[in-house]
Amino acid sequence: MIFFKLQASVFIMMPANDGFHGIPSEYVFFRVFFHALFWAQTIYIGYKIYLQSHIDIFFVDWEKQKGGHDVSIWRTILIVNEWNKMQ
């Protein structure tokens, strides 16, 4: 649906979602591709999770405590995020 803010009348609306005298709905093409793309993306995300879960990389922070305070966990998170950007 195309519309503009503060518009006084409807400009364009989507067609009705029903068949007309045996003619299939105009949304069949959209529905088929929507479901195909959804499942393709789901499979791709599952594949990426599978690949990333089988990597043997351990990040070890050897920094010592400073003044009796623990090293912030944010430093470790930032290092891991930079590693992810390099992939």
Side-chain angles (χ1 to χ4, degrees):
M1 181 165 86
I2 298 174
F3 66 92
F4 299 99
K5 291 182 178 180
L6 302 174
Q7 182 175 336
S9 61
V10 176
F11 180 64
I12 295 178
M13 291 191 66
M14 299 289 281
N17 189 16
D18 58 348
F20 181 70
H21 298 296
I23 299 172
S25 173
E26 296 175 1
Y27 294 106
V28 170
F29 183 74
F30 173 75
R31 285 183 181 153
V32 168
F33 275 101
F34 179 79
H35 289 287
L37 292 173
F38 173 80
W39 288 112
Q41 189 69 27
T42 303
I43 292 169
Y44 174 73
I45 290 171
Y47 177 69
K48 287 298 276 187
I49 291 172
Y50 172 78
L51 288 179
Q52 290 180 356
S53 65
H54 285 81
I55 295 175
D56 294 331
I57 295 177
F58 297 98
F59 292 100
V60 178
D61 190 5
W62 292 97
E63 185 175 352
K64 303 290 183 198
Q65 293 181 353
K66 294 180 181 177
H69 295 68
D70 288 334
V71 178
S72 174
I73 189 66
W74 289 108
R75 180 166 187 251
T76 306
I77 292 172
L78 290 173
I79 291 170
V80 172
N81 283 338
E82 289 298 324
W83 175 259
N84 283 331
K85 287 180 188 176
M86 290 190 299
Q87 289 183 356

